[in-house]
Amino acid sequence: MGGGDVTQEEAALEPRRVKGRFAPSPTGRMHAGNVFSALVAWLVAKSQGGSMVLRIEDLDAERSKPQFIDAVQRDFETLGLTWDEGPYFQHDRTDAYEAAYVRLCERGLVYPCFCTRADLHAASAPHHGEKLVYAGTCRGLTEERRAERAKSRPPASRLMVPDDCIELVDAIQGPYSQNLAFECGDFLIRRSDGAFAYQLAVVVDDAAQGVNSIVRGVDLLCSTPQQMYLQNLLGYPHAEYAHVPLLVAEEGRRLSKRDHDAALDALLARFGSPAGIIGHIAGITGIAPTCDPVMPEELLASFDLNTFAKHLPDKVQIRWH
Ligand code: GLU
């Protein structure tokens, strides 16, 4: 056996190495909210001796722009948010998504859905938060009816969900549970144009890339039960989740990619340097005691996820001036 080999006993004793991920969608430059979740993802993994994967989520070919693929990687580098593996690209992973999709179809859990966007809005009340609950309109169609509908419209594919609660304890948000049937409904795993849906792709990728620590914005918390359900069906392990609060603009308005004053160039102009941006975000979110300029590396020694989570408000207001 070579010197670097690890025996089975040693492997069993070794604590599980944390592997986090950055999963940007290349639909725009990084903004303050992305910087915050990326910083926390990096600190969680690196403060425990773990590693980071970079995955470019370019599943949506129409919205993903080549110029942003480069720009977003430069944004991470500029901010000192390093990665150890990747970039992996979702556009290279169609075969893996297809294989998972076929496994779900073979279990009889997938059905074609012909609903238009308008149908969905009309039939999807009540809303659960921002989420539309699918009413199951196409679940019970007969084979004849499906064949007939398919003549005028290519179907999307939905995964049937049971009347079960999926529960998790989020490292920041605490206990969270969702009844899949009542709070989510059968959900899309493939769009009518053939593209695989985010929920399926992200689960297949996280499993294949060995990601076991997922830190992202709280807007994705309500997707986590769907992803955990897919992990159950596909025999993948669950990750540890931490959903960071939203950064809001002064009036409490949610920041988005359309807020140009929150995009990285504007942040650089405002805060003077990458360390200025990181320092500001670390200060207002309680990662650091002050808003003084600092790079991620310098925050490692004092970072502790539990302490950070305990003192974090529901929403963090960004203070531009
Ligand atoms: N690609 C998604 C985004 O940029 C993140 C998906 C995830 O973290 O699961 O919003």
Side-chain angles (χ1 to χ4, degrees):
M1 208 192 319
D5 289 340
V6 178
T7 65
Q8 265 186 355
E9 292 78 16
E10 280 166 345
L13 286 174
E14 206 172 89
R16 190 170 76 140
R17 269 198 82 191
V18 176
K19 205 193 246 197
R21 39 87 148 175
F22 299 129
S25 302
T27 55
R29 293 290 300 275
M30 241 176 148
H31 65 77
N34 305 132
V35 177
F36 176 37
S37 49
L39 174 63
V40 178
W42 189 92
L43 288 169
V44 167
K46 293 288 172 173
S47 65
Q48 298 177 79
S51 60
M52 287 301 290
V53 169
L54 173 63
R55 177 170 77 233
I56 306 290
E57 302 214 316
D58 56 353
L59 203 60
D60 189 333
E62 264 169 45
R63 292 183 60 224
S64 301
K65 301 276 180 286
Q67 72 269 27
F68 292 134
I69 293 179
D70 291 338
V72 98
Q73 292 183 67
R74 266 183 279 116
D75 290 347
F76 281 108
E77 280 165 356
T78 304
L79 294 166
L81 296 168
T82 52
W83 60 92
D84 308 279
E85 245 183 83
Y88 298 116
F89 291 87
Q90 289 191 323
H91 71 240
D92 287 336
R93 306 262 311 137
T94 310
D95 291 352
Y97 308 145
E98 179 80 38
Y101 175 77
V102 168
R103 284 176 59 198
L104 298 170
C105 290
E106 283 171 354
R107 292 178 61 174
L109 295 171
V110 181
Y111 64 87
C113 173
F114 300 91
C115 293
T116 60
R117 208 173 281 261
D119 295 335
L120 293 177
H121 281 274
S124 295
H127 291 221
H128 173 66
E130 290 186 6
K131 207 160 154 159
L132 290 178
V133 181
Y134 183 60
T137 318
C138 291
R139 197 202 257 225
L141 295 183
T142 60
E143 280 310 321
E144 293 78 53
R145 191 85 184 101
R146 283 179 182 163
E148 203 178 294
R149 297 287 308 266
K151 285 184 201 149
S152 56
R153 187 179 162 78
S157 301
R158 279 190 191 272
L159 182 73
M160 283 182 210
V161 299
D163 178 3
D164 279 347
C165 269
I166 299 275
E167 296 176 354
L168 69 138
V169 180
D170 187 89
I172 294 173
Q173 306 297 329
Y176 182 78
S177 78
Q178 191 178 90
N179 179 295
L180 290 174
F182 298 111
E183 296 173 87
C184 171
D186 298 340
F187 61 90
L188 286 182
I189 54 169
R190 194 169 201 173
R191 302 192 325 202
S192 60
D193 64 2
F196 290 100
Y198 156 74
Q199 307 291 5
L200 180 70
V202 94
V203 163
V204 171
D205 284 344
D206 283 331
Q209 291 153 14
V211 169
N212 53 26
S213 162
I214 297 181
V215 178
R216 56 190 176 189
V218 73
D219 51 334
L220 287 170
L221 179 60
C222 64
S223 287
T224 304
Q226 282 158 266
Q227 295 174 14
M228 291 173 70
Y229 178 57
L230 279 167
Q231 289 160 353
N232 293 346
L233 292 176
L234 294 165
Y236 301 152
H238 295 310
E240 300 286 333
Y241 290 94
H243 287 84
V244 301
L246 293 180
L247 289 191
V248 291
E250 256 109 15
E251 328 77 84
R253 188 176 43 80
R254 186 179 160 159
L255 291 175
S256 77
K257 282 188 177 164
R258 284 178 292 275
D259 283 299
H260 297 295
D261 55 352
L264 205 72
D265 281 339
L267 293 175
L268 272 174
R270 202 178 286 256
F271 296 109
S273 64
I277 300 175
I278 297 286
H280 184 78
I281 289 178
I284 61 172
T285 57
I287 296 174
T290 69
C291 286
D292 293 347
V294 67
M295 286 303 271
E297 194 78 38
E298 300 167 77
L299 296 167
L300 273 178
S302 62
F303 182 78
D304 173 69
L305 178 58
N306 292 327
T307 316
F308 162 68
K310 235 180 263 157
H311 298 108
L312 205 52
D314 283 352
K315 280 183 185 162
V316 182
Q317 191 165 316
I318 200 149
R319 291 189 293 266
W320 296 128
H321 305 291

